[in-house]
Amino acid sequence: MIRIMQSGEVDASELISCQVEQNMEIDARVLAILSEVRERGDEAVLALTRQLDGATLDALELPAREIDKAYAAMDADFLQTLEMAAENIRAFHAKQVRNNFIISETEGVLLGQRVTPLARAGLYVPGGTALYPSTVLMDAIPAKLAGVPEVVMATPPRPDGSVDAGVLAAARVAGVSRVFRMGGAQAIGAMAYGTKSVPRVDKIVGPGNIYVATAKRLVYGLVDIDMVAGPSEILIIADETCNPAHIAADLLSQAEHDRLASSLLVTTSQALAEAVRQALEEQIPRLPRADICRESIDKNGRIIVAESLAGAVAISNQIAPEHLELCVEDPFSLLPAVRNAGSIFLGKNAPEALGDYFAGPNHTLPTSGTARFSSPLSVDDFVKKSSFIYYTKEALGKVRARVVDFATREGLAAHAESVAIRFREA
């Protein structure tokens, strides 16, 4: 049963770890897999796919005709849902697209910035106990809006070598270029190093289990990554006007992800706290993933009774949750005080699941307290920015003494000379 605490008992660092724990044993296993993939390429990935996924494949890449086939066979209603969700995601992320700029306010001087898309992005889509067509949309669409020419997707195959039709239909809708049947650390290694059949990417995005997260951390620097994600989190701030059954359902929407997921409620009402605890006990047995929910709620769930809504927001800011629901009468009055959260859901009719699938903002979000300093996946993740500088000789001459002096004070004579030499008599 979930524990109810008073605000004075709260230690935010104990509720959600502010760092992803490093497991040396898992690191060693992942390093061994990455080494195999780097040395043996496709052969290693195919062997690991047989060993870990039980799938014997002739080739890693799924033929394009299989993607077309999955799209054509998908029921029309779900296809419409995918298209509508994709349009919402595009509309939201289109606002994030950056443009080049030039500054020419000083005579003889041009300064500017060029925004250039990555050449190739890799998208990891988990398989296993749940399927994630939504992740395909959320991660591929910003890349395409950024102008990335090629988006490749890796996802674990079933034992018969097939891939979920919903995931493939989403790939078609989102504009994924190529699909590879591979999962786990070996998929991350293949995309990071490149193999005979898998192209090397510039950035890897997407969620995964501890082996995937560890592999992403270990290849970072060779390629870029979105983040090292921990277990999913939700924090709900609720007042006495809320329906406890609704709050319980929202907490369980995260608990069912993972036994390590964190579901937290901060409320100003002791009566609501008790009612939500009872509602959780009623709802958990009815869920298909009840065993996962049970362990997550009992071990990592908490209900915190705060003295005020301002105090509740202060607790939330300490925790910096991945998902924050403001289930109060006037959520907009609290919004300015929220400093640390991945995605914020306002009011009583914006459950977190709305953001996971349909509304438009990205659902790839910072976890484990990293919302203190990082942001949701966006178009910015798929571009790089280069600055440029142009000076005429006359413009350089006006500032040369200052640049030479600056370099000299830092003890870098060659820097100073590279400016001064341009004005010395031949």
Side-chain angles (χ1 to χ4, degrees):
M1 182 176 289
I2 197 167
R3 179 182 170 192
I4 297 178
M5 310 167 63
Q6 301 302 309
S7 58
E9 305 173 64
V10 174
D11 181 347
S13 65
E14 291 182 0
L15 294 177
I16 294 179
S17 173
C18 288
Q19 62 181 4
V20 178
E21 291 187 15
Q22 186 171 345
N23 184 308
M24 299 305 292
E25 184 178 342
I26 290 176
D27 274 19
R29 291 181 196 168
V30 170
L31 279 169
I33 290 172
L34 293 176
S35 178
E36 278 194 65
V37 172
R38 190 167 199 169
E39 292 174 11
R40 296 169 48 224
D42 286 346
E43 181 186 354
V45 180
L46 288 166
L48 288 161
T49 301
R50 280 195 305 272
Q51 176 188 340
L52 301 175
D53 296 312
T56 300
L57 305 176
D58 294 327
L60 292 171
E61 185 167 5
L62 190 72
R65 65 179 178 273
E66 294 298 323
I67 302 171
D68 294 339
K69 182 179 175 182
Y71 181 87
M74 187 56 54
D75 70 86
D77 191 56
F78 185 57
L79 275 183
Q80 186 177 23
T81 298
L82 285 176
E83 295 284 3
M84 292 173 68
E87 186 51 41
N88 290 341
I89 295 165
R90 286 191 192 98
F92 180 85
H93 289 80
K95 299 292 186 181
Q96 299 172 342
V97 175
R98 292 178 181 265
N99 297 313
N100 301 333
F101 66 78
I102 293 176
I103 300 171
S104 58
E105 296 173 358
T106 302
E107 186 177 354
V109 177
L110 285 178
L111 308 175
Q113 178 175 277
R114 293 184 66 240
V115 180
T116 310
L118 304 182
R120 185 181 293 121
L123 163 60
Y124 186 85
V125 180
T129 61
L131 300 168
Y132 296 97
S134 58
T135 292
V136 182
L137 302 181
M138 292 289 181
D139 291 358
I141 289 172
K144 298 303 292 183
L145 283 170
V148 177
E150 187 175 7
V151 178
V152 302
M153 185 177 96
T155 192
R158 296 168 174 147
D160 65 359
S162 66
V163 173
D164 176 69
V167 168
L168 294 179
R172 168 80 175 271
V173 169
V176 170
S177 310
R178 302 169 70 184
V179 175
F180 292 88
R181 295 173 292 179
M182 55 185 186
Q186 62 271 25
I188 303 302
M191 291 191 287
Y193 305 132
T195 71
K196 185 176 180 179
S197 64
V198 182
R200 179 180 174 180
V201 304
D202 298 310
K203 183 163 188 167
I204 299 172
V205 303
N209 63 18
I210 186 63
Y211 292 94
V212 170
T214 300
K216 286 171 67 177
R217 173 169 56 81
L218 292 173
V219 300
Y220 174 66
L222 179 66
V223 294
D224 193 16
I225 62 171
D226 50 354
M227 63 189 74
V228 180
S232 191
E233 312 151 2
I234 188 170
L235 188 149
I236 302 173
I237 294 176
D239 59 21
E240 69 281 355
T241 66
C242 289
N243 185 320
H246 296 178
I247 301 299
D250 290 1
L251 292 171
L252 290 170
S253 73
Q254 288 308 292
E256 73 173 348
H257 267 299
D258 190 330
R259 298 175 193 276
L260 299 176
S262 298
S263 300
L264 310 175
L265 167 63
V266 185
T267 179
T268 51
S269 168
Q270 182 72 37
L272 182 71
E274 298 289 351
V276 169
R277 177 156 67 176
Q278 181 59 37
L280 285 168
E281 294 305 305
E282 293 169 0
Q283 292 183 28
I284 288 174
R286 301 199 296 261
L287 294 171
R289 296 164 70 90
D291 57 334
I292 295 174
C293 292
R294 179 85 274 164
E295 188 170 342
S296 172
I297 288 294
D298 288 354
K299 288 187 176 180
N300 307 309
R302 295 290 186 274
I303 298 175
I304 300 161
V305 181
E307 294 181 359
S308 65
L309 288 177
V313 173
I315 291 169
S316 177
N317 282 333
Q318 281 185 287
I319 293 169
E322 178 188 13
H323 306 95
L324 171 62
E325 289 188 11
L326 300 180
C327 291
V328 297
E329 276 293 284
D330 183 9
F332 293 97
S333 67
L334 297 185
L335 185 59
V338 175
R339 297 186 57 84
N340 303 324
S343 189
I344 306 166
F345 300 80
L346 300 171
K348 300 174 186 178
N349 298 300
E352 183 273 327
L354 183 65
D356 264 358
Y357 299 113
F358 201 77
N362 211 283
H363 80 193
T364 299
L365 303 168
T367 62
S368 305
T370 60
R372 292 180 298 111
F373 50 80
S374 58
S375 307
L377 190 76
S378 73
V379 170
D380 278 345
D381 282 285
F382 299 99
V383 299
K384 48 196 173 63
K385 307 171 192 76
S386 301
S387 58
F388 59 83
I389 302 168
Y390 170 81
Y391 272 57
T392 63
K393 187 169 184 179
E394 292 74 17
L396 179 61
K398 292 177 182 178
V399 299
R400 63 171 171 162
R402 296 190 182 279
V403 179
V404 167
D405 178 61
F406 214 142
T408 301
R409 289 172 185 271
E410 290 195 347
L412 297 173
H415 280 65
E417 178 64 8
S418 71
V419 175
I421 197 171
R422 285 169 162 77
F423 298 91
R424 195 171 293 126
E425 290 289 339

